[in-house]
Structure formats: structure tokens, C-alpha cells
Amino acid sequence: MEPFEELYGRPCRSPVCWTKIGERSIFGPDLVRETTKKVQLIQQRLLTAHSRQKSYADKRRRPLEFIVGDFLLLKVSPNRGVKRFGKKGKLSPRYIGLFQIIRRVGAVSYQLELPQRFEHVHDTFHVSMLRKYERDPSYAIDPSNIIAWEDLEIQEDATYVERSVRILDFKEHVLRTKTIPMVKVQWQRRHVEEAT
């Protein structure tokens, strides 16, 4: 007896033999024919699910291509300077730049000309981390999201540590059995409205 059958009291219905449970047994070419039908049915359903998920993703995807010599902004993720329960808290991403494209590496990656300060950071980035720099003021990126990179200490994974400046507010959230202190903090390169 197989372990599955011993555990659950019935034989395992695998795609290799997807037959009804009972006394009926299939041998020889009938087994191969039925198994082939079931495998084709499974493949057809997987293809349907794959194409449905692809259509959902394609609606949000926009093709981004840059030309060698373009100036770009690089997306960096700030981490909170204080670790909370062993986890790093992330704030909304910011953009630093301007960096020029040296060459196109693949279909969706570009090599940038980074300053000497970022020699420990790999100079090839995926297109999702890049934004084209437009001088037009009506451009989608908020100018307050663009920060000066000269005073940043960027890590290898394109993150930097955001330090707290001051405490704006303090209150206690009272539950039945405990009290949770809550502190509103303003971060170093953030406005008061972006305090957490």
C-alpha cells in the first residue's frame, strides 16, 4: 500500500492515472490513451490560465526604451535608520540623478555612467529602476521625489539609510490589556506631510 493510501484511505489520483476510484482497472493501451487525454486537458487549462494572467500583466506594462546618451534618474529605496523588531522599514522610493547611459546591455537593462562615489554599486540596471529625465515641469515625477545624490551613502542594492530628524507627535493607543505607544517621526529628506 502506498503511504498516501495508508494515510487517507484512498489511492492517490495523480495526473498519470486520473481515473475514478473503485474496482475498475485499466491496463495496456487504454491506460495510455486515458492518461494522454488527461495530460492534454491539464496542458490546455494551464495555457488558458497563463494567457489570462499575461493579459492582466500586459495591460499595466508599458514598453520603456532609452537611447545611448540619454540622461536618466535612478530609483533608490530608502530604509529607515531604526530597525523595528528586526525588520527594515522601507519608505517610498526616491530618484537620484542625472546619470548618462553608456550602453544597452540587454533587452531591458542599461549600463549607466556612475560617479566615483558609487564605485561599489553595480552600474547595470533594469529598466524598472530608471526614469527618463524631462525638463518639462508637467512631467509625472514629483520634483520633491528627486534628491541630491552627493551626500547619499548608497549601498550595493541601491538602497540608502534614511535617518530620523525629530519626533512630531506622540500618543498611546489603549487596548483592553495593553497600551501601545505610537510616535510620529519626520525623516531626514522628507517633508512634514510624509512623516510616519
Side-chain angles (χ1 to χ4, degrees):
M1 183 181 293
E2 294 177 3
F4 185 92
E5 191 173 350
E6 171 134 2
L7 213 72
Y8 296 106
R10 61 180 175 82
C12 177
R13 297 176 65 198
S14 69
V16 176
C17 186
W18 199 271
T19 58
K20 300 242 189 248
I21 299 172
E23 296 297 319
R24 190 170 69 109
S25 302
I26 300 175
F27 296 104
D30 293 336
L31 173 66
V32 174
R33 201 175 305 117
E34 187 167 337
T35 302
T36 307
K37 283 182 190 174
K38 297 299 180 182
V39 168
Q40 287 174 350
L41 178 68
I42 290 169
Q43 287 175 342
Q44 178 188 1
R45 289 182 180 169
L46 281 172
L47 184 65
T48 304
H50 173 74
S51 63
R52 181 174 55 245
Q53 292 298 325
K54 186 178 182 322
S55 71
Y56 295 156
D58 287 346
K59 286 179 184 171
R60 292 192 302 266
R61 186 173 293 139
R62 56 191 170 118
L64 284 176
E65 287 193 14
F66 303 112
I67 303 167
V68 174
D70 279 353
F71 285 93
L72 302 175
L73 299 169
L74 177 64
K75 181 167 51 169
V76 290
S77 299
N79 288 330
R80 291 180 185 155
V82 180
K83 289 186 181 178
R84 190 170 47 112
F85 305 115
K87 294 183 180 178
K88 285 185 181 177
K90 286 195 175 181
L91 298 165
S92 60
R94 295 293 178 116
Y95 294 92
I96 61 172
L98 299 167
F99 304 114
Q100 190 172 16
I101 296 177
I102 298 173
R103 70 183 179 99
R104 186 175 184 162
V105 177
V108 290
S109 56
Y110 294 90
Q111 184 178 5
L112 300 182
E113 183 181 351
L114 296 178
Q116 189 65 29
R117 289 198 62 226
F118 298 147
E119 62 184 13
H120 60 282
V121 179
H122 197 274
D123 61 352
T124 304
F125 296 95
H126 188 266
V127 74
S128 64
M129 294 188 69
L130 305 172
R131 291 289 179 266
K132 188 168 184 178
Y133 176 71
E134 299 280 341
R135 293 188 187 273
D136 184 13
S138 65
Y139 189 54
I141 296 178
D142 182 15
S144 64
N145 281 342
I146 302 172
I147 56 175
W149 54 266
E150 287 82 8
D151 60 338
L152 284 181
E153 296 176 17
I154 304 284
Q155 277 86 30
E156 292 179 17
D157 58 349
T159 60
Y160 68 94
V161 176
E162 190 80 85
R163 306 216 188 307
S164 58
V165 176
R166 63 186 171 137
I167 295 174
L168 298 176
D169 194 14
F170 176 83
K171 69 177 182 179
E172 292 183 343
H173 191 72
V174 180
L175 302 175
R176 283 186 195 179
T177 57
K178 61 182 175 180
T179 304
I180 302 171
M182 300 179 78
V183 180
K184 190 172 189 177
V185 177
Q186 181 180 357
W187 298 97
Q188 191 174 14
R189 294 174 185 88
R190 307 271 167 169
H191 300 293
V192 176
E193 300 85 35
E194 296 177 289
T196 59

